[in-house]
């Protein structure tokens, strides 16, 4: 059978290495996974209770419209219910947006070192990905993106612009002023949608972080994505939210599978957003962990970037895969990332304090063991 070159050349998304696999392969009793930006506290007890109550009804199909959840989240996000829909993780929403708005041969625009799902979903839909370079401080360069859009939009048919804010794997963000300027240049157009992927929204501390939900009200062509995987600690249930004008939401609802969001994901999310105490604990744990990483990495003299998310990007100046392997041997799973050639960066998620300390201690040993390549 003939399959398109885009499909044949697809490199599957590589998930963080699983804990059990690492234990088996390296003969370890304890393994710490800091590779997938998961919530180290586990889900809220209120979520676990709500899930237990929902179990006897699992013979029923899920509510295809997520009615109850939509009512609740519309109050939480302060948007009308018909401005909201859900996906099987925000990953599915990224995939759906590309399938809806891009024809084969058309393009999306994002940045170098952007969240990898954009490029993978685009390629699977035979859609090309244009990327602008990062700024020198490893942030999305919105001026360059606006310029690139205006230079190439007609010829390359750029239909979607993806801005991960904060971005994964860099942890950096774009400011309110930068976004305002960007929207003045690309806002309210009917030939392109601007997608703000806010997977790490609740972890942000910067006070010049933009309010993308307000942009959905101000501009006709803005989409905001949120996920329940990170701050709410339910990555295993797969649910993400999309906020946009009703015309966009309507198209997503036509194309998505009717039961793309399962019953337990709906129940868990409704319980999670009510538990503000849990949310605060998650934020405090994360911020203390990040501050610990900053000071520990500074003491070690290791290059890193300030993060508004629940992970930190580190330049080890060693081959990233060698660092990854050496850390694995010490029972710590990190994520090697390729930002330049050769790849020397790793991404380290924030865990519990003892996990963070174990990671730093392993990193310290590993950096001594492996020679610097710079
Ligand atoms: C983790 C992440 C997502 C969310 O993925 P889910 O499919 O909702 O689990 C989306 N965008 C970015 C930038 C991420 O890092």
């Amino acid at each position: 059978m003939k399959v398109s070159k885009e499909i044949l050349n697809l490199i599957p998304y590589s998930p963080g290495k699983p804990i059990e696999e690492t234990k088996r392969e390296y003969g370890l009793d304890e393994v710490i996974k800091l590779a997938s930006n998961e919530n180290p506290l586990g889900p809220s007890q209120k979520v676990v209770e709500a899930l237990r109550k929902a179990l006897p009804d699992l013979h029923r199909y899920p509510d295809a419209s997520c009615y109850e959840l939509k009512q609740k989240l519309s109050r939480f996000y302060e948007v009308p219910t018909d401005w909201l829909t859900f996906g099987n993780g925000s990953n599915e929403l990224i995939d759906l947006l590309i399938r809806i708005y891009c024809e084969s041969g058309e393009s999306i625009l994002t940045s170098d070192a952007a969240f990898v799902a954009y490029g993978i979903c685009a390629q699977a839909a035979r859609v090309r990905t244009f990327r602008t370079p990062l700024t020198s401080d490893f942030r999305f360069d919105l001026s360059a993106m606006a310029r690139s859009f205006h230079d190439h939009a007609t010829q390359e048919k750029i239909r979607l612009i993806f801005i991960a804010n904060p971005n994964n794997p860099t942890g950096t963000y774009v400011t309110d002023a930068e976004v305002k300027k960007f929207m003045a240049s690309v806002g309210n157009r009917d030939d392109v949608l601007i997608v703000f992927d806010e997977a790490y929204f609740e972890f942000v501390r910067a006070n010049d972080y933009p309010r993308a939900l307000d942009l959905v009200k101000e501009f006709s062509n803005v989409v905001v994505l949120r996920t329940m995987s990170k701050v709410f600690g339910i990555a295993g249930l797969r649910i993400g939210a999309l906020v946009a004008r009703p015309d966009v939401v309507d198209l997503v609802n036509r194309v998505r599978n009717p039961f793309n969001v399962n019953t337990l994901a709906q129940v868990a999310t409704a319980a999670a957003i009510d538990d503000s105490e849990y949310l605060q604990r998650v934020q405090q744990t994360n911020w203390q962990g990040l501050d610990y990483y900053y000071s520990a990495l500074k003491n070690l003299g290791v290059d890193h970037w300030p993060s508004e998310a629940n992970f930190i990007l580190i330049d080890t100046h060693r081959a990233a895969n060698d660092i990854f392997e050496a850390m694995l041997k010490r029972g710590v799973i990190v994520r090697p990332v390729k930002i330049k050639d050769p790849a020397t960066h790793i991404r380290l998620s924030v865990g519990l304090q003892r996990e963070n300390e174990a990671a730093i201690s392993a990193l310290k040993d590993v950096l001594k063991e492996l020679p610097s390549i710079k």
Side-chain angles (χ1 to χ4, degrees):
M1 242 324 234
K2 192 174 166 301
V3 172
S4 73
K5 65 176 191 314
E6 289 87 352
I7 301 295
L8 288 173
N9 294 341
L10 262 182
I11 300 169
Y13 174 76
S14 75
K17 197 174 172 69
I19 291 177
E20 289 309 315
E21 184 182 309
T22 309
K23 281 186 185 168
R24 271 198 311 277
E25 284 177 16
Y26 291 82
L28 297 163
D29 294 328
E30 215 215 312
V31 166
I32 295 168
K33 186 182 175 203
L34 297 173
S36 299
N37 305 339
E38 292 153 340
N39 191 321
L41 295 175
S44 134
Q45 273 317 301
K46 293 205 170 118
V47 166
V48 174
E49 263 163 54
L51 287 172
R52 201 172 280 130
K53 274 201 206 118
L55 292 178
D57 288 324
L58 284 185
H59 57 300
R60 303 289 178 201
Y61 277 98
D63 172 1
S65 71
C66 300
Y67 179 84
E68 293 291 339
L69 182 59
K70 207 180 283 173
Q71 299 296 322
K72 210 157 184 173
L73 273 189
S74 101
R75 289 191 295 272
F76 191 69
Y77 292 151
E78 297 175 343
V79 295
T81 51
D82 60 352
W83 291 37
L84 249 182
T85 191
F86 303 97
N88 193 265
S90 48
N91 229 293
E92 187 196 27
L93 296 166
I94 293 164
D95 197 55
L96 287 167
L97 287 170
I98 293 173
R99 282 168 51 204
I100 291 166
Y101 288 100
C102 305
E103 305 262 355
S104 165
E106 296 185 339
S107 308
I108 65 165
L109 173 66
T110 187
S111 167
D112 281 344
F115 183 46
V116 292
Y118 311 143
I120 295 174
C121 294
Q123 192 176 330
R126 287 82 156 165
V127 167
R128 290 182 300 164
T129 301
F130 280 84
R131 293 184 171 91
T132 53
L134 291 169
T135 64
S136 58
D137 52 357
F138 270 38
R139 302 178 318 110
F140 275 35
D141 186 340
L142 291 188
S143 308
M145 287 179 78
R147 243 179 290 125
S148 177
F149 174 75
H150 292 296
D151 289 350
H152 301 293
T154 315
Q155 202 184 341
E156 310 297 349
K157 302 196 172 66
I158 294 169
R159 302 299 182 215
L160 292 167
I161 302 179
F162 282 95
I163 299 165
N165 198 30
N167 181 45
N168 168 14
T170 54
T172 56
Y173 73 107
V174 287
T175 66
D176 188 37
E178 289 165 337
V179 167
K180 281 213 168 78
K181 200 167 150 219
F182 180 75
M183 289 310 300
S185 164
V186 299
N188 286 329
R189 295 179 64 109
D190 60 9
D191 59 348
V192 67
L193 276 187
I194 320 300
V195 183
F196 289 93
D197 179 350
E198 298 191 325
Y200 300 95
F201 177 83
E202 295 85 353
F203 293 114
V204 173
R205 283 186 282 187
N207 47 30
D208 57 353
Y209 179 72
R211 299 175 58 94
L213 282 182
D214 288 349
L215 299 177
V216 181
K217 293 172 190 165
E218 195 178 341
F219 298 96
S220 59
N221 61 338
V222 172
V223 176
V224 175
L225 301 180
R226 296 279 182 88
T227 180
M228 315 308 161
S229 297
K230 309 284 163 54
V231 85
F232 294 123
I234 51 173
L237 285 174
R238 314 303 305 127
I239 175 167
L242 177 149
V243 181
R245 296 289 180 91
D247 56 317
V248 176
V249 167
D250 176 53
L251 291 173
V252 174
N253 284 336
R254 289 175 199 222
V255 176
R256 69 178 173 87
N257 288 326
F259 305 117
N260 61 333
V261 178
N262 69 72
T263 306
L264 298 183
Q266 296 183 34
V267 164
T269 303
I273 62 167
D274 279 342
D275 195 348
S276 54
E277 215 174 284
Y278 169 82
L279 180 68
Q280 277 172 23
R281 199 160 70 245
V282 171
Q283 288 171 322
Q284 287 312 321
T285 304
N286 187 65
W287 293 332
Q288 279 166 16
L290 269 181
D291 292 342
Y292 166 73
Y293 279 162
Y294 293 150
S295 75
L297 292 168
K298 186 159 174 251
N299 285 340
L300 292 177
V302 175
D303 288 343
H304 58 279
W305 284 263
S307 168
E308 296 298 323
N310 65 349
F311 57 84
I312 191 163
L313 183 74
I314 296 170
D315 190 353
T316 65
H317 297 288
R318 278 97 173 144
N321 275 321
D322 293 350
I323 296 277
F324 169 69
E325 282 288 334
M327 296 282 287
L328 270 188
K329 278 187 199 140
R330 288 167 175 79
V332 182
I333 315 175
V334 301
R335 180 70 73 104
V337 288
K338 184 168 178 175
I339 290 185
K340 57 175 181 47
D341 218 2
T344 57
H345 294 86
I346 58 166
R347 192 192 68 195
L348 187 62
S349 306
V350 177
L352 303 172
Q353 185 55 23
R354 60 171 178 81
E355 297 175 319
N356 303 339
E357 285 170 14
I360 290 293
S361 152
L363 182 66
K364 189 175 170 187
D365 292 351
V366 162
L367 289 173
K368 268 189 226 140
E369 189 181 288
L370 297 168
S372 170
I373 57 174
K374 201 198 90 180

